[in-house]
Amino acid sequence: MEIRQIQKLLDAELIVGEDTLDKDVHSACGSDMMSDVLAYVKDQAVLLTGLVNAQVIRTAQMMDMICIVFVRSKAPTEDMIALAKDAGITLMSTSKRMYEACGILYTAGLGKGVTV
C-alpha cells in the first residue's frame, strides 16, 4: 500500500513528506508507549500514535519506520517536524481514534501489524 493511500483512507492531513507519498508500506503498528514499540515491534513501516513528543520521531527512526500518523487530531511540534524532515519520515495527522485508524488500514489490506 502506498503512503498516499493511507492518507486518503484516514482522511489525514499531510504535515511533512510529500515526496514520499509513493513509497510502499506493508505493515503498521499502533502504540502510545514507545518502550513497547522498541521492545515488541519489528519490520513495521508505519506507526500510529497519539503521543506527541520528540521521542516518537527518534523511536521511529531507530526502528526504520518511514511514516508516523498522529491520531485524535494530535499535531507534532515544530521541533518534531524538523527531526522528521531530517530523518526522511512522513508525518500525518488524522481525527480518527487509534482503534478506528488501525481497523481501516487493516481492512484495506495493510497487514500483519501489531497494536501494543
Side-chain angles (χ1 to χ4, degrees):
M1 175 180 294
E2 289 184 349
I3 293 175
R4 78 176 67 255
Q5 291 173 278
I6 293 171
Q7 180 186 15
K8 185 176 180 180
L9 287 166
L10 299 180
D11 192 26
E13 172 196 353
L14 180 66
I15 298 165
V16 68
E18 188 169 332
D19 56 330
T20 63
L21 291 176
D22 60 347
K23 287 189 177 182
D24 281 322
V25 294
H26 303 286
S27 59
C29 68
S31 183
D32 287 344
M33 296 182 62
M34 295 304 105
S35 59
D36 281 354
V37 172
L38 289 169
Y40 300 111
V41 173
K42 283 188 171 186
D43 302 322
Q44 310 299 313
V46 181
L47 172 63
L48 291 93
T49 188
L51 185 63
V52 181
N53 64 41
Q55 189 62 30
V56 173
I57 309 298
R58 291 187 182 104
T59 299
Q61 187 176 18
M62 287 176 58
M63 302 303 290
D64 295 323
M65 294 176 167
I66 62 171
C67 179
I68 301 170
V69 179
F70 296 99
V71 295
R72 303 186 306 271
S73 299
K74 300 287 182 138
T77 65
E78 291 300 321
D79 290 341
M80 292 172 66
I81 293 169
L83 281 172
K85 280 183 186 176
D86 289 345
I89 297 172
T90 302
L91 300 181
M92 293 185 236
S93 180
T94 181
S95 62
K96 297 181 183 336
R97 296 178 305 159
M98 190 178 320
Y99 179 81
E100 181 183 9
C102 288
I104 289 168
L105 295 179
Y106 185 82
T107 301
L110 190 60
K112 305 250 181 181
V114 281
T115 299
V116 292

